[in-house]
Amino acid sequence: MRPRTIRQPGGRYRARAVRDRPRRIAVLGAGGFVGSHLVPHLAARAPTEGTEILAVDRTLEKLGSGLPGVRRVEADIAQPGLLEEVVRDADVVVSLTAICNPALYNTRPLDVIDANFTDLIPLVKLCAARRRWLVHFSTCEVYGRVALSATGRPMRAMVEDETALFLGPIARERWTYAAAKQLLERVIWAHGRHAGLPFTIVRPFNVIGPRMDFIPGVDGEGIPRVLACFLNALMRGEPLQLVDGGRQRRSFLDVGEFVAAVGRILERPDACQGEILNLGNPRNDVTIRALGRGLAGAYRAQHPDAPAPRFERVDAETFYGAGYDDTAVRVPSIAKATRLLDWRPRLQLTQMLPAIVADYVARYAEPIAAGVSSRQPRVAAGGRRG
Ligand code: UGA
């Protein structure tokens, strides 16, 4: 430890102790999609850098075993005493646990609020009390329906410290998740500004890759995110369902490029503490229909005998239930991430899709062929991400 003058949120400066680079990294939610890519990325350099990684999740199946420098703990973060121990023994806590599946925001809003807000308050307080660096994963959903400036003018991209957070009415329960995530950001920020918490908030923008989500009827029930929905349909030879026609847009970022950026955050505490960072790829801004066409193309390139893909329009409330709402366009500004991390994502959507298709086919084609249920139940259920 060495004393430093560092910038506090809001531009204030004050001296306190920071580490050059954390050696003891705790990852909460390590067994989810993001965690299962982040932990191996960090572990790849652990032996040379002497880093110890603690991987915590209710299940670590997706993570695999035998990673150098990684200690695995299969437990819920609500387990008495667990967070205290984790925070005590870590230099940095990477907080990934969440319910982040839009099918649940309007069907299980109370669970969504607990998982994304209530259950994480103790973590924020413990990190503040012990001055541990909290790297918390929030969401691009906090920006809401479209990008608007503070005075309500349209913006091309969503900018961390400028764009308004434009959520829908309370009855549109879709925004339960975004509101919970936003309030936790405010709690973290306030602990940073007023209670000495070193923190970084990450807002991921539609990160995709192998091992994302689940396939209904095989390893989960309900409606996963769009990538798994489309792959499920392609593998079963069913139509791809385009919610409200699929004209809404998303900017997709490859998970490998995402975890590389997170690795750089951990290497740069001085630059990143007190900051909120978008991580996304503005050059992969496409409609959901275009994502479907791209996935179908990648799938048929690997399975030339597959039937031609069919697309079916479905009304949003029929698909997700009452209270759903949506973001029309979601493009990140990554100027801050580029400046602070010297990071710029390069992979185009079409370059990412073949490996994603191959991963899903390897894991799911056999159980699907063996005849597990082919219907997607309309009552959503699901789990947590990492
Ligand atoms: C997601 C989730 O809220 C979080 O995982 C996360 O914070 C964030 O956005 C993200 O991934 O970074 P969203 O992008 O709406 O929200 O979730 P998807 O399930 O990936 O849906 C994207 C779009 O595809 C939505 O407009 C949805 O209505 C549509 N969709 C979904 C379809 O057209 N067909 C489907 O079969 C499924």
Side-chain angles (χ1 to χ4, degrees):
M1 303 255 288
R2 64 195 163 87
R4 278 280 180 85
T5 300
I6 66 154
R7 190 161 71 80
Q8 296 291 292
R12 294 260 215 76
Y13 288 80
R14 78 170 205 212
R16 63 173 176 71
V18 290
R19 287 174 191 278
D20 280 336
R21 193 187 271 208
R23 296 274 173 239
R24 300 173 303 167
I25 303 171
V27 181
L28 305 178
F33 161 57
V34 168
S36 78
H37 288 269
L38 178 62
V39 172
H41 175 81
L42 299 175
R45 283 173 301 173
T48 48
E49 294 179 355
T51 308
E52 295 164 24
I53 301 159
L54 181 70
V56 183
D57 209 325
R58 290 190 295 202
T59 163
L60 291 167
E61 259 169 56
K62 282 192 181 183
L63 189 57
S65 51
L67 291 167
V70 177
R71 188 159 73 85
R72 300 156 58 93
V73 173
E74 289 201 334
D76 197 299
I77 59 165
Q79 186 177 301
L82 181 79
L83 282 182
E84 284 81 354
E85 208 178 305
V86 166
V87 172
R88 185 195 65 207
D89 294 344
D91 300 320
V92 59
V93 179
V94 179
S95 145
L96 291 165
T97 62
I99 289 179
C100 56
N101 174 347
L104 305 181
Y105 306 162
N106 59 322
T107 54
R108 285 174 42 198
L110 298 175
D111 292 338
V112 168
I113 290 169
D114 281 347
N116 296 299
F117 177 73
T118 323
D119 297 350
L120 298 174
I121 294 295
L123 175 66
V124 179
K125 290 192 180 300
L126 283 165
C127 287
R130 287 196 176 265
R131 300 288 191 268
R132 298 301 194 254
W133 183 14
L134 175 63
V135 177
H136 177 68
F137 284 66
S138 184
T139 175
C140 56
E141 291 235 347
V142 296
Y143 293 109
R145 287 173 153 165
V146 288
L148 294 180
S149 74
T151 54
R153 289 172 197 266
M155 298 175 76
R156 209 198 81 73
M158 293 162 164
V159 185
E160 297 91 336
D161 304 315
E162 286 174 38
T163 303
L165 307 180
F166 178 56
L167 309 184
I170 297 298
R172 291 275 148 198
E173 288 183 301
R174 159 60 184 261
W175 303 113
T176 302
Y177 169 74
K181 287 284 208 180
Q182 184 195 146
L183 187 55
L184 194 73
E185 286 197 20
R186 292 190 185 277
V187 168
I188 292 171
W189 181 275
H191 278 79
R193 181 116 194 245
H194 305 284
L197 172 70
F199 75 87
T200 304
I201 291 171
V202 177
R203 293 179 181 162
F205 280 66
N206 288 84
V207 177
I208 59 171
R211 300 194 288 282
M212 188 171 183
D213 285 351
F214 60 92
I215 289 294
V218 179
D219 56 353
E221 294 299 338
I223 306 172
R225 279 171 290 182
V226 66
L227 185 85
C229 284
F230 284 172
L231 283 160
N232 183 37
L234 288 165
M235 288 187 288
R236 296 182 194 276
E238 294 178 357
L240 280 69
Q241 299 196 292
L242 298 174
V243 172
D244 286 346
R247 279 177 308 187
Q248 60 278 45
R249 304 181 76 91
R250 296 290 188 273
S251 306
F252 292 99
L253 171 64
D254 174 75
V255 70
E257 296 191 312
F258 177 68
V259 299
V262 177
R264 288 186 184 203
I265 289 175
L266 297 180
E267 287 167 5
R268 300 176 185 210
D270 287 359
C272 297
Q273 285 181 3
E275 297 289 352
I276 300 176
L277 285 173
N278 290 342
L279 294 179
N281 189 338
R283 293 196 297 177
N284 285 329
D285 165 35
V286 298
T287 63
I288 293 301
R289 177 182 282 273
L291 172 72
R293 280 200 300 260
L295 273 171
Y299 185 79
R300 292 190 86 204
Q302 293 174 26
H303 303 88
D305 297 337
R310 289 172 293 140
F311 294 89
E312 191 174 83
R313 186 188 192 285
V314 56
D315 175 71
E317 295 219 346
T318 308
F319 193 77
Y320 285 113
Y324 181 74
D325 200 355
D326 208 350
T327 297
V329 183
R330 183 188 280 166
V331 182
S333 158
I334 53 167
K336 201 204 274 194
T338 303
R339 178 165 52 81
L340 296 184
L341 306 177
D342 191 20
W343 170 85
R344 192 181 289 277
R346 305 207 178 276
L347 279 180
Q348 292 170 6
L349 186 60
T350 48
Q351 295 173 297
M352 304 173 201
L353 298 182
I356 294 174
V357 167
D359 166 72
Y360 275 74
V361 168
R363 287 185 299 126
Y364 295 112
E366 217 169 273
I368 286 175
V372 290
S373 154
S374 71
R375 296 310 315 160
Q376 294 184 8
R378 284 290 169 261
V379 179
R384 292 172 169 222
R385 99 170 148 205

